[in-house]
Amino acid sequence: LEKLAARGLTVNQAYSASPVCTPSRASLLSGLSPARTRITNWVATGGDTDPNHPSNGKFSWASEGLQAGKWNLLPGILQRGRFDTAYIGKAHFGAGGTHGAFPD
């Protein structure tokens, strides 16, 4: 991180992985696209919030969001590198009542 900061980085154009919160957060933490994590819409109660569409078929969506222990996530990578990590602000990554709702 210190080398990256020393070299400097300017991002003039960028885009979010998704126009809604849960898939964008999951992509940021995992480095994977919403299609890869199978989190493609916001989650609230563990139900699928994606509308039924003929092209979706019977695909198994991760409607509970990003759950602990399933992915190699950025905070864990940083912690193994001896960095301290914290979440600040709105940080739920999964449906209410799941481990991802309010991560510890």
Side-chain angles (χ1 to χ4, degrees):
L1 289 175
E2 291 168 358
K3 287 181 183 180
L4 179 63
R7 285 186 269 158
L9 176 68
T10 301
V11 179
N12 294 321
Q13 290 184 315
Y15 66 94
S16 174
S18 174
V20 293
C21 56
T22 308
S24 295
R25 290 185 190 125
S27 290
L28 180 65
L29 288 176
S30 68
L32 302 172
S33 71
R36 181 73 65 183
T37 63
R38 298 185 180 202
I39 301 169
T40 59
N41 210 337
W42 60 273
V43 296
T45 61
D48 190 354
T49 54
D50 281 324
N52 291 329
H53 189 276
S55 66
N56 286 350
K58 299 283 185 191
F59 194 76
S60 174
W61 300 109
S63 60
E64 291 190 350
L66 190 66
Q67 298 300 311
K70 185 173 181 181
W71 305 101
N72 189 21
L73 302 178
L74 181 60
I77 294 167
L78 291 172
Q79 287 171 351
R80 287 190 294 279
R82 305 189 82 138
F83 287 89
D84 292 324
T85 64
Y87 69 90
I88 299 169
K90 186 175 179 182
H92 70 271
F93 307 108
T98 69
H99 292 293
F102 297 100
D104 294 334

Coordinates of all heavy atoms in Angstrom, one line a residue:
L1 N 0.8 -1.2 0.0 CA 0.0 0.0 0.0 C 0.9 1.3 0.0 O 0.5 2.2 -0.7 CB -0.9 0.0 1.2 CG -2.1 -1.0 1.2 CD1 -2.9 -1.0 2.5 CD2 -3.0 -0.8 0.0
E2 N 1.9 1.2 0.8 CA 2.8 2.4 0.8 C 3.5 2.6 -0.5 O 3.7 3.8 -1.0 CB 3.9 2.2 1.9 CG 3.2 2.2 3.3 CD 4.1 1.8 4.4 OE1 5.3 1.4 4.1 OE2 3.7 1.8 5.6
K3 N 3.9 1.5 -1.2 CA 4.5 1.7 -2.6 C 3.5 2.3 -3.5 O 3.8 3.1 -4.4 CB 5.0 0.4 -3.1 CG 6.3 -0.1 -2.4 CD 6.7 -1.4 -3.0 CE 7.9 -2.0 -2.3 NZ 8.3 -3.3 -2.8
L4 N 2.2 1.8 -3.5 CA 1.2 2.3 -4.3 C 1.0 3.8 -4.1 O 0.9 4.6 -5.0 CB -0.1 1.5 -4.1 CG -1.3 2.0 -5.0 CD1 -1.1 1.8 -6.4 CD2 -2.5 1.2 -4.5
A5 N 0.9 4.2 -2.8 CA 0.7 5.6 -2.5 C 1.9 6.4 -2.9 O 1.7 7.6 -3.4 CB 0.5 5.7 -1.0
A6 N 3.1 5.9 -2.8 CA 4.3 6.7 -3.3 C 4.3 6.9 -4.8 O 4.7 7.9 -5.2 CB 5.6 5.9 -2.8
R7 N 3.8 5.9 -5.5 CA 3.8 6.0 -7.0 C 2.6 6.9 -7.4 O 2.6 7.4 -8.5 CB 3.7 4.7 -7.6 CG 5.0 3.9 -7.6 CD 4.9 2.6 -8.4 NE 4.5 1.6 -7.5 CZ 3.9 0.5 -7.8 NH1 3.6 0.2 -9.0 NH2 3.6 -0.4 -6.9
G8 N 1.6 6.9 -6.6 CA 0.4 7.7 -6.9 C -0.5 7.1 -7.9 O 0.0 6.3 -8.8
L9 N -1.8 7.3 -7.8 CA -2.7 6.7 -8.7 C -3.9 7.7 -8.8 O -4.5 8.1 -7.8 CB -3.2 5.4 -8.1 CG -4.3 4.7 -8.9 CD1 -3.8 4.2 -10.3 CD2 -4.9 3.5 -8.1
T10 N -4.2 8.0 -10.0 CA -5.4 8.9 -10.3 C -6.4 8.1 -11.1 O -6.0 7.5 -12.2 CB -5.0 10.1 -11.0 OG1 -4.0 10.8 -10.2 CG2 -6.2 11.0 -11.3
V11 N -7.6 8.0 -10.7 CA -8.7 7.3 -11.4 C -9.6 8.4 -11.9 O -10.3 9.1 -11.2 CB -9.4 6.3 -10.5 CG1 -10.5 5.6 -11.3 CG2 -8.4 5.3 -9.9
N12 N -9.6 8.5 -13.3 CA -10.5 9.6 -13.9 C -11.8 9.0 -14.3 O -12.8 9.8 -14.5 CB -9.8 10.2 -15.1 CG -8.6 11.0 -14.7 OD1 -8.6 11.6 -13.6 ND2 -7.5 10.8 -15.4
Q13 N -11.9 7.7 -14.6 CA -13.1 7.1 -15.0 C -13.2 5.7 -14.3 O -12.3 5.0 -14.3 CB -13.2 6.9 -16.5 CG -13.4 8.1 -17.3 CD -13.5 7.8 -18.8 OE1 -12.8 7.0 -19.3 NE2 -14.4 8.5 -19.4
A14 N -14.3 5.5 -13.7 CA -14.5 4.2 -13.0 C -16.0 3.9 -13.0 O -16.9 4.8 -13.2 CB -14.0 4.3 -11.6
Y15 N -16.4 2.7 -12.6 CA -17.8 2.4 -12.5 C -18.0 1.4 -11.4 O -17.0 0.7 -11.0 CB -18.3 1.8 -13.8 CG -17.7 0.5 -14.2 CD1 -18.4 -0.7 -13.9 CD2 -16.6 0.4 -14.9 CE1 -17.8 -1.9 -14.2 CE2 -16.0 -0.8 -15.3 CZ -16.7 -2.0 -14.9 OH -16.1 -3.2 -15.3
S16 N -19.1 1.3 -10.9 CA -19.5 0.4 -9.8 C -19.8 -0.9 -10.4 O -20.3 -1.0 -11.6 CB -20.7 1.0 -9.0 OG -21.1 0.0 -8.1
A17 N -19.6 -2.0 -9.7 CA -20.0 -3.3 -10.2 C -21.5 -3.5 -10.4 O -21.9 -4.3 -11.2 CB -19.4 -4.4 -9.3
S18 N -22.2 -2.7 -9.7 CA -23.7 -2.8 -9.7 C -24.3 -1.5 -9.3 O -23.7 -0.7 -8.5 CB -24.2 -3.9 -8.8 OG -25.6 -3.9 -8.7
P19 N -25.5 -1.2 -9.8 CA -26.1 0.1 -9.3 C -26.8 0.0 -7.9 O -27.3 1.0 -7.5 CB -27.2 0.3 -10.4 CG -27.6 -1.0 -10.9 CD -26.3 -1.8 -10.8
V20 N -26.7 -1.1 -7.3 CA -27.3 -1.2 -5.9 C -26.2 -1.7 -4.9 O -25.1 -2.2 -5.3 CB -28.5 -2.2 -5.9 CG1 -29.7 -1.6 -6.6 CG2 -28.2 -3.5 -6.4
C21 N -26.5 -1.6 -3.7 CA -25.4 -1.7 -2.6 C -24.8 -3.1 -2.4 O -23.6 -3.2 -2.4 CB -26.0 -1.2 -1.3 SG -27.5 -2.0 -0.8
T22 N -25.6 -4.1 -2.2 CA -25.0 -5.4 -1.8 C -24.0 -5.9 -2.8 O -22.9 -6.3 -2.4 CB -26.1 -6.4 -1.5 OG1 -27.0 -5.8 -0.5 CG2 -25.6 -7.7 -0.9
P23 N -24.4 -6.0 -4.1 CA -23.4 -6.6 -5.0 C -22.2 -5.7 -5.2 O -21.1 -6.2 -5.3 CB -24.2 -6.6 -6.4 CG -25.6 -6.4 -6.1 CD -25.7 -5.7 -4.7
S24 N -22.3 -4.4 -5.0 CA -21.1 -3.5 -5.1 C -20.2 -3.8 -3.9 O -19.0 -3.8 -4.1 CB -21.6 -2.0 -5.1 OG -22.3 -1.8 -6.3
R25 N -20.7 -3.9 -2.7 CA -19.9 -4.1 -1.6 C -19.2 -5.5 -1.7 O -18.0 -5.7 -1.4 CB -20.8 -4.1 -0.3 CG -21.2 -2.7 0.1 CD -22.0 -2.8 1.4 NE -22.6 -1.5 1.6 CZ -23.9 -1.4 1.9 NH1 -24.7 -2.5 1.9 NH2 -24.5 -0.2 2.1
A26 N -20.0 -6.5 -2.1 CA -19.4 -7.8 -2.2 C -18.3 -7.8 -3.3 O -17.3 -8.5 -3.1 CB -20.5 -8.8 -2.6
S27 N -18.5 -7.1 -4.4 CA -17.4 -7.0 -5.4 C -16.2 -6.3 -4.9 O -15.0 -6.8 -5.1 CB -17.9 -6.3 -6.6 OG -18.9 -7.1 -7.3
L28 N -16.4 -5.3 -4.1 CA -15.2 -4.5 -3.6 C -14.4 -5.4 -2.6 O -13.2 -5.4 -2.6 CB -15.7 -3.3 -2.8 CG -14.7 -2.4 -2.2 CD1 -13.7 -1.8 -3.3 CD2 -15.3 -1.3 -1.4
L29 N -15.1 -6.1 -1.7 CA -14.4 -7.0 -0.7 C -13.8 -8.2 -1.3 O -12.8 -8.7 -0.8 CB -15.4 -7.3 0.4 CG -15.7 -6.2 1.3 CD1 -16.8 -6.6 2.3 CD2 -14.5 -5.6 2.0
S30 N -14.5 -8.8 -2.3 CA -14.0 -10.1 -2.9 C -13.1 -10.0 -4.1 O -12.4 -10.9 -4.4 CB -15.2 -11.0 -3.2 OG -15.9 -10.4 -4.3
G31 N -13.2 -8.8 -4.8 CA -12.5 -8.7 -6.1 C -13.2 -9.4 -7.2 O -12.6 -9.6 -8.3
L32 N -14.4 -9.9 -7.0 CA -15.2 -10.7 -8.0 C -16.4 -9.9 -8.5 O -16.9 -9.1 -7.8 CB -15.6 -12.0 -7.4 CG -14.5 -12.9 -6.8 CD1 -15.1 -14.1 -6.1 CD2 -13.6 -13.4 -7.9
S33 N -16.8 -10.2 -9.7 CA -18.0 -9.6 -10.2 C -19.3 -10.1 -9.6 O -19.2 -11.2 -9.0 CB -18.1 -9.8 -11.8 OG -18.4 -11.2 -12.0
P34 N -20.4 -9.4 -9.7 CA -21.6 -9.9 -9.1 C -22.0 -11.2 -9.7 O -22.6 -12.1 -9.0 CB -22.6 -8.8 -9.5 CG -21.8 -7.5 -9.5 CD -20.5 -8.0 -10.1
A35 N -21.7 -11.4 -11.0 CA -22.0 -12.7 -11.6 C -21.2 -13.8 -10.9 O -21.7 -15.0 -10.8 CB -21.8 -12.7 -13.1
R36 N -20.0 -13.6 -10.6 CA -19.1 -14.6 -10.0 C -19.6 -14.9 -8.5 O -19.6 -16.0 -8.1 CB -17.7 -14.1 -10.0 CG -16.7 -15.1 -9.4 CD -16.4 -16.3 -10.2 NE -15.8 -15.9 -11.5 CZ -15.5 -16.7 -12.4 NH1 -15.8 -18.0 -12.3 NH2 -15.0 -16.3 -13.5
T37 N -19.9 -13.9 -7.8 CA -20.4 -14.1 -6.4 C -21.8 -14.5 -6.3 O -22.3 -15.0 -5.3 CB -20.3 -12.8 -5.5 OG1 -21.1 -11.8 -6.1 CG2 -18.8 -12.3 -5.5
R38 N -22.6 -14.4 -7.4 CA -24.0 -14.7 -7.5 C -24.8 -13.8 -6.6 O -25.9 -14.2 -6.2 CB -24.3 -16.2 -7.2 CG -23.6 -17.1 -8.2 CD -23.9 -18.5 -8.1 NE -23.3 -19.3 -9.1 CZ -23.6 -20.5 -9.5 NH1 -24.7 -21.0 -8.9 NH2 -23.0 -21.1 -10.4
I39 N -24.3 -12.6 -6.3 CA -25.0 -11.6 -5.6 C -25.3 -10.5 -6.6 O -24.4 -9.8 -6.9 CB -24.2 -11.1 -4.4 CG1 -23.9 -12.2 -3.4 CG2 -25.0 -10.0 -3.6 CD1 -22.8 -11.8 -2.4
T40 N -26.5 -10.4 -7.0 CA -26.8 -9.5 -8.1 C -27.8 -8.4 -7.8 O -28.1 -7.6 -8.6 CB -27.4 -10.3 -9.4 OG1 -28.6 -11.0 -8.9 CG2 -26.3 -11.3 -9.9
N41 N -28.3 -8.4 -6.6 CA -29.3 -7.4 -6.2 C -29.1 -7.2 -4.7 O -28.4 -7.9 -4.0 CB -30.7 -7.8 -6.5 CG -31.6 -6.6 -6.8 OD1 -31.3 -5.5 -6.4 ND2 -32.6 -6.8 -7.6
W42 N -29.8 -6.2 -4.1 CA -29.7 -5.9 -2.7 C -30.4 -7.1 -2.0 O -31.3 -7.8 -2.5 CB -30.3 -4.6 -2.4 CG -31.8 -4.5 -2.8 CD1 -32.3 -4.1 -4.0 CD2 -32.9 -4.8 -2.0 NE1 -33.6 -4.1 -4.0 CE2 -34.1 -4.5 -2.7 CE3 -33.1 -5.2 -0.7 CZ2 -35.4 -4.7 -2.3 CZ3 -34.4 -5.4 -0.2 CH2 -35.5 -5.2 -1.0
V43 N -30.0 -7.3 -0.7 CA -30.6 -8.3 0.1 C -31.2 -7.7 1.4 O -30.6 -6.7 1.9 CB -29.7 -9.5 0.5 CG1 -29.2 -10.2 -0.8 CG2 -28.5 -8.9 1.2
A44 N -32.3 -8.2 1.9 CA -32.9 -7.6 3.1 C -33.3 -8.7 4.0 O -33.0 -8.7 5.2 CB -34.1 -6.7 2.7
T45 N -34.1 -9.7 3.5 CA -34.6 -10.7 4.4 C -34.2 -12.1 4.0 O -34.6 -13.1 4.6 CB -36.2 -10.7 4.3 OG1 -36.5 -11.0 3.0 CG2 -36.7 -9.4 4.7
G46 N -33.2 -12.2 3.1 CA -32.8 -13.5 2.7 C -33.5 -14.1 1.5 O -33.2 -15.1 1.0
G47 N -34.5 -13.3 1.0 CA -35.3 -13.7 -0.1 C -34.7 -13.1 -1.4 O -33.9 -12.1 -1.3
D48 N -34.9 -13.7 -2.5 CA -34.4 -13.2 -3.8 C -35.1 -11.9 -4.2 O -36.4 -12.0 -4.4 CB -34.6 -14.3 -4.8 CG -33.8 -14.0 -6.1 OD1 -33.3 -12.9 -6.2 OD2 -33.8 -14.9 -7.0
T49 N -34.4 -10.8 -4.4 CA -35.0 -9.6 -4.8 C -34.9 -9.4 -6.3 O -35.4 -8.4 -6.8 CB -34.4 -8.4 -4.0 OG1 -33.0 -8.4 -4.2 CG2 -34.7 -8.4 -2.5
D50 N -34.3 -10.3 -7.0 CA -34.3 -10.2 -8.4 C -35.6 -10.5 -9.0 O -36.2 -11.5 -8.6 CB -33.2 -11.1 -9.1 CG -31.8 -10.6 -8.9 OD1 -31.6 -9.3 -9.0 OD2 -30.9 -11.3 -8.7
P51 N -36.1 -9.7 -10.0 CA -37.4 -10.1 -10.6 C -37.3 -11.4 -11.4 O -36.2 -11.7 -11.9 CB -37.7 -8.9 -11.4 CG -36.4 -8.3 -11.8 CD -35.5 -8.6 -10.6
N52 N -38.4 -12.1 -11.5 CA -38.4 -13.3 -12.3 C -38.3 -12.8 -13.8 O -39.1 -11.9 -14.2 CB -39.7 -14.1 -12.1 CG -39.7 -14.7 -10.7 OD1 -38.7 -15.0 -10.2 ND2 -40.9 -14.8 -10.1
H53 N -37.5 -13.4 -14.5 CA -37.3 -13.1 -15.9 C -37.0 -14.4 -16.6 O -36.2 -15.2 -16.1 CB -36.2 -12.1 -16.1 CG -36.1 -11.5 -17.5 ND1 -35.4 -12.2 -18.5 CD2 -36.6 -10.4 -18.0 CE1 -35.5 -11.5 -19.6 NE2 -36.2 -10.4 -19.3
P54 N -37.5 -14.6 -17.8 CA -37.3 -15.9 -18.5 C -35.8 -16.2 -18.8 O -35.4 -17.4 -18.7 CB -38.0 -15.7 -19.9 CG -39.0 -14.6 -19.6 CD -38.4 -13.7 -18.5
S55 N -35.0 -15.2 -18.9 CA -33.6 -15.5 -19.2 C -32.8 -15.9 -17.9 O -31.7 -16.4 -18.0 CB -32.9 -14.3 -19.8 OG -32.9 -13.2 -18.9
N56 N -33.4 -15.6 -16.7 CA -32.7 -16.1 -15.5 C -32.8 -17.5 -15.3 O -32.0 -18.1 -14.6 CB -33.3 -15.3 -14.3 CG -32.9 -13.9 -14.2 OD1 -32.0 -13.4 -14.9 ND2 -33.5 -13.1 -13.4
G57 N -33.9 -18.2 -15.8 CA -34.0 -19.6 -15.6 C -34.1 -20.0 -14.1 O -34.6 -19.3 -13.3
K58 N -33.5 -21.1 -13.8 CA -33.5 -21.6 -12.4 C -32.1 -21.5 -11.7 O -31.7 -22.3 -11.0 CB -33.9 -23.1 -12.4 CG -35.2 -23.4 -13.0 CD -36.3 -23.1 -11.9 CE -37.6 -23.5 -12.5 NZ -38.7 -23.0 -11.7
F59 N -31.4 -20.4 -12.1 CA -30.1 -20.1 -11.5 C -30.2 -19.9 -10.0 O -31.1 -19.3 -9.5 CB -29.5 -18.9 -12.2 CG -28.1 -18.7 -12.0 CD1 -27.1 -19.5 -12.6 CD2 -27.6 -17.8 -11.1 CE1 -25.8 -19.3 -12.4 CE2 -26.3 -17.6 -10.9 CZ -25.3 -18.4 -11.5
S60 N -29.2 -20.4 -9.3 CA -29.2 -20.3 -7.8 C -28.4 -19.0 -7.4 O -27.2 -19.0 -7.4 CB -28.4 -21.5 -7.2 OG -28.3 -21.3 -5.9
W61 N -29.2 -18.0 -7.1 CA -28.6 -16.7 -6.7 C -28.3 -16.8 -5.2 O -28.9 -17.4 -4.4 CB -29.6 -15.6 -6.9 CG -30.0 -15.4 -8.3 CD1 -31.2 -15.7 -8.9 CD2 -29.2 -15.0 -9.4 NE1 -31.2 -15.5 -10.2 CE2 -30.0 -15.0 -10.6 CE3 -27.9 -14.6 -9.5 CZ2 -29.5 -14.7 -11.8 CZ3 -27.4 -14.2 -10.8 CH2 -28.2 -14.2 -11.9
A62 N -27.2 -16.0 -4.8 CA -26.8 -15.9 -3.4 C -27.7 -14.8 -2.8 O -27.2 -13.7 -2.5 CB -25.4 -15.6 -3.3
S63 N -28.9 -15.1 -2.5 CA -29.9 -14.1 -2.1 C -29.7 -13.7 -0.6 O -30.3 -12.8 -0.1 CB -31.3 -14.6 -2.3 OG -31.6 -15.8 -1.5
E64 N -28.8 -14.4 0.1 CA -28.5 -14.0 1.5 C -27.2 -13.1 1.5 O -26.8 -12.7 2.6 CB -28.3 -15.2 2.4 CG -29.6 -15.9 2.6 CD -29.5 -17.0 3.7 OE1 -28.4 -17.2 4.1 OE2 -30.5 -17.5 4.1
G65 N -26.6 -12.8 0.4 CA -25.5 -11.9 0.4 C -24.2 -12.5 0.6 O -24.0 -13.7 0.5
L66 N -23.2 -11.7 1.0 CA -21.9 -12.2 1.3 C -21.8 -12.7 2.7 O -21.9 -12.0 3.7 CB -20.9 -11.0 1.1 CG -19.4 -11.3 1.0 CD1 -19.1 -12.1 -0.2 CD2 -18.6 -10.0 1.0
Q67 N -21.6 -14.0 2.9 CA -21.5 -14.6 4.2 C -20.1 -14.9 4.6 O -19.2 -15.3 3.8 CB -22.4 -15.9 4.2 CG -23.8 -15.6 4.0 CD -24.5 -14.7 5.0 OE1 -24.3 -14.9 6.2 NE2 -25.2 -13.7 4.5
A68 N -19.8 -14.8 5.9 CA -18.5 -15.1 6.4 C -18.0 -16.5 6.1 O -18.7 -17.4 6.1 CB -18.5 -14.8 7.9
G69 N -16.7 -16.6 5.8 CA -16.1 -17.9 5.6 C -16.1 -18.4 4.2 O -15.4 -19.4 3.9
K70 N -16.9 -17.9 3.3 CA -17.0 -18.5 2.0 C -16.0 -17.9 1.0 O -15.6 -18.6 0.1 CB -18.4 -18.2 1.4 CG -18.7 -18.9 0.1 CD -20.1 -18.7 -0.3 CE -20.4 -19.4 -1.6 NZ -21.7 -19.3 -2.1
W71 N -15.5 -16.7 1.2 CA -14.6 -16.0 0.2 C -13.3 -15.6 0.9 O -13.3 -15.4 2.1 CB -15.3 -14.8 -0.3 CG -16.7 -15.1 -1.0 CD1 -17.9 -14.8 -0.4 CD2 -16.9 -15.7 -2.2 NE1 -18.9 -15.2 -1.3 CE2 -18.3 -15.8 -2.4 CE3 -16.1 -16.1 -3.2 CZ2 -18.9 -16.3 -3.5 CZ3 -16.7 -16.7 -4.4 CH2 -18.1 -16.7 -4.5
N72 N -12.3 -15.4 0.1 CA -11.1 -14.9 0.5 C -11.2 -13.3 0.4 O -11.0 -12.8 -0.7 CB -9.9 -15.4 -0.3 CG -8.6 -15.0 0.2 OD1 -8.4 -14.7 1.4 ND2 -7.6 -15.1 -0.7
L73 N -11.5 -12.6 1.4 CA -11.9 -11.2 1.3 C -10.8 -10.3 1.7 O -9.8 -10.6 2.4 CB -13.1 -10.9 2.3 CG -14.3 -11.8 2.0 CD1 -15.4 -11.4 3.1 CD2 -14.9 -11.6 0.6
L74 N -10.9 -9.1 1.1 CA -9.8 -8.1 1.3 C -9.4 -7.8 2.7 O -8.2 -7.8 3.0 CB -10.3 -6.8 0.6 CG -9.3 -5.6 0.7 CD1 -8.0 -6.0 0.0 CD2 -9.9 -4.4 0.0
P75 N -10.4 -7.7 3.7 CA -9.9 -7.5 5.1 C -9.0 -8.7 5.6 O -8.1 -8.4 6.3 CB -11.2 -7.4 5.9 CG -12.2 -6.9 4.9 CD -11.8 -7.5 3.6
G76 N -9.4 -9.9 5.3 CA -8.6 -11.0 5.7 C -7.2 -11.0 5.1 O -6.2 -11.4 5.7
I77 N -7.1 -10.7 3.8 CA -5.9 -10.6 3.1 C -5.0 -9.5 3.8 O -3.8 -9.8 4.1 CB -6.1 -10.2 1.6 CG1 -6.8 -11.4 0.9 CG2 -4.7 -9.9 1.0 CD1 -7.3 -11.1 -0.5
L78 N -5.6 -8.4 4.1 CA -4.8 -7.3 4.8 C -4.4 -7.7 6.2 O -3.3 -7.4 6.6 CB -5.6 -6.0 4.8 CG -5.9 -5.3 3.5 CD1 -6.8 -4.2 3.6 CD2 -4.6 -4.9 2.9
Q79 N -5.3 -8.4 6.9 CA -5.0 -8.9 8.3 C -3.8 -9.9 8.3 O -2.9 -9.8 9.1 CB -6.2 -9.5 8.9 CG -7.2 -8.4 9.3 CD -8.5 -9.0 9.8 OE1 -8.7 -10.2 9.7 NE2 -9.4 -8.1 10.3
R80 N -3.8 -10.8 7.3 CA -2.7 -11.7 7.2 C -1.4 -11.0 6.9 O -0.3 -11.5 7.2 CB -3.0 -12.8 6.1 CG -4.0 -13.8 6.6 CD -4.2 -15.0 5.7 NE -4.7 -14.6 4.3 CZ -6.0 -14.4 4.0 NH1 -6.9 -14.5 5.0 NH2 -6.3 -14.2 2.8
G81 N -1.5 -9.8 6.3 CA -0.3 -9.0 6.0 C 0.0 -8.1 7.1 O 0.8 -7.1 7.0
R82 N -0.6 -8.3 8.3 CA -0.4 -7.6 9.5 C -0.9 -6.2 9.6 O -0.4 -5.3 10.3 CB 1.1 -7.6 9.9 CG 1.7 -9.1 9.9 CD 3.0 -9.1 10.5 NE 2.9 -9.0 12.0 CZ 3.6 -9.8 12.8 NH1 4.5 -10.6 12.3 NH2 3.4 -9.7 14.1
F83 N -1.9 -5.9 8.7 CA -2.6 -4.6 8.8 C -3.8 -4.8 9.7 O -4.4 -5.8 9.8 CB -3.1 -4.2 7.4 CG -2.0 -3.8 6.5 CD1 -1.4 -4.7 5.6 CD2 -1.7 -2.4 6.4 CE1 -0.4 -4.3 4.8 CE2 -0.7 -2.0 5.5 CZ 0.0 -2.9 4.7
D84 N -4.2 -3.7 10.4 CA -5.4 -3.7 11.1 C -6.5 -3.2 10.2 O -6.3 -2.4 9.3 CB -5.3 -2.7 12.3 CG -4.4 -3.2 13.4 OD1 -4.3 -4.4 13.6 OD2 -3.7 -2.3 14.0
T85 N -7.7 -3.8 10.4 CA -8.9 -3.4 9.5 C -10.0 -3.1 10.4 O -10.1 -3.5 11.6 CB -9.3 -4.6 8.6 OG1 -9.7 -5.7 9.3 CG2 -8.1 -5.0 7.7
A86 N -10.9 -2.3 9.8 CA -12.2 -1.9 10.5 C -13.2 -1.6 9.5 O -12.9 -1.2 8.4 CB -11.9 -0.7 11.4
Y87 N -14.5 -1.7 9.9 CA -15.5 -1.2 9.0 C -16.2 -0.1 9.7 O -16.4 -0.1 10.9 CB -16.6 -2.3 8.6 CG -17.4 -2.8 9.7 CD1 -18.7 -2.2 10.0 CD2 -17.0 -3.9 10.5 CE1 -19.5 -2.7 11.0 CE2 -17.9 -4.4 11.5 CZ -19.1 -3.8 11.8 OH -19.9 -4.2 12.8
I88 N -16.5 0.9 9.0 CA -17.1 2.2 9.5 C -18.3 2.6 8.7 O -18.2 2.6 7.4 CB -16.1 3.3 9.5 CG1 -14.9 2.9 10.4 CG2 -16.7 4.6 10.0 CD1 -13.7 3.8 10.2
G89 N -19.4 2.8 9.3 CA -20.6 3.2 8.6 C -21.4 2.0 8.2 O -21.4 1.0 8.8
K90 N -22.2 2.2 7.1 CA -23.1 1.1 6.7 C -22.3 0.0 6.1 O -21.7 0.1 5.1 CB -24.1 1.7 5.6 CG -25.1 0.8 5.2 CD -26.1 1.4 4.2 CE -27.1 0.5 3.8 NZ -28.1 1.1 2.8
A91 N -22.3 -1.2 6.7 CA -21.4 -2.2 6.3 C -22.1 -3.6 6.3 O -21.4 -4.6 6.4 CB -20.2 -2.3 7.2
H92 N -23.4 -3.6 6.1 CA -24.0 -5.0 6.1 C -23.8 -5.6 4.7 O -23.8 -4.9 3.7 CB -25.5 -5.0 6.4 CG -26.4 -4.3 5.4 ND1 -26.7 -3.0 5.5 CD2 -27.0 -4.9 4.4 CE1 -27.5 -2.7 4.5 NE2 -27.7 -3.8 3.8
F93 N -23.5 -6.9 4.6 CA -23.2 -7.6 3.4 C -24.1 -8.7 3.2 O -23.9 -9.5 2.2 CB -21.7 -8.1 3.4 CG -20.7 -7.0 3.8 CD1 -20.1 -7.0 5.0 CD2 -20.5 -6.0 2.9 CE1 -19.2 -6.0 5.3 CE2 -19.6 -5.0 3.2 CZ -19.0 -5.0 4.4
G94 N -25.1 -8.9 4.0 CA -26.0 -10.0 3.9 C -27.4 -9.7 4.5 O -27.6 -8.6 5.1
A95 N -28.3 -10.6 4.3 CA -29.7 -10.4 4.8 C -29.7 -10.4 6.3 O -28.9 -10.9 7.0 CB -30.5 -11.5 4.2
G96 N -30.8 -9.7 6.8 CA -31.0 -9.7 8.3 C -31.1 -11.1 8.8 O -31.7 -12.0 8.2
G97 N -30.5 -11.3 10.0 CA -30.5 -12.6 10.6 C -29.4 -13.5 10.1 O -29.3 -14.7 10.5
T98 N -28.5 -13.1 9.2 CA -27.4 -13.9 8.8 C -26.1 -13.3 9.3 O -26.1 -12.2 9.8 CB -27.3 -13.9 7.2 OG1 -27.0 -12.7 6.7 CG2 -28.7 -14.4 6.6
H99 N -25.0 -14.0 9.2 CA -23.7 -13.6 9.6 C -23.2 -12.3 8.9 O -22.4 -11.5 9.4 CB -22.6 -14.7 9.5 CG -22.8 -15.8 10.4 ND1 -22.7 -15.7 11.8 CD2 -23.2 -17.1 10.2 CE1 -23.0 -16.8 12.4 NE2 -23.3 -17.7 11.5
G100 N -23.7 -12.1 7.6 CA -23.3 -11.0 6.9 C -24.0 -9.7 7.2 O -23.7 -8.7 6.7
A101 N -25.1 -9.8 8.0 CA -25.9 -8.6 8.2 C -25.1 -7.6 9.0 O -25.2 -6.4 8.6 CB -27.1 -9.0 9.0
F102 N -24.4 -7.9 10.0 CA -23.6 -7.0 10.8 C -22.3 -7.7 11.1 O -22.2 -8.3 12.2 CB -24.4 -6.6 12.1 CG -25.6 -5.8 11.8 CD1 -26.9 -6.5 11.8 CD2 -25.6 -4.5 11.4 CE1 -28.0 -5.9 11.6 CE2 -26.8 -3.8 11.1 CZ -28.0 -4.5 11.2
P103 N -21.3 -7.6 10.2 CA -20.1 -8.3 10.4 C -19.3 -7.9 11.6 O -19.3 -6.7 12.0 CB -19.3 -8.1 9.1 CG -19.9 -6.8 8.6 CD -21.3 -6.8 9.0
D104 N -18.7 -8.8 12.3 CA -17.9 -8.5 13.5 C -16.4 -8.4 13.1 O -16.0 -9.2 12.3 CB -18.0 -9.6 14.6 CG -19.4 -9.6 15.1 OD1 -20.1 -8.5 15.1 OD2 -19.8 -10.7 15.6

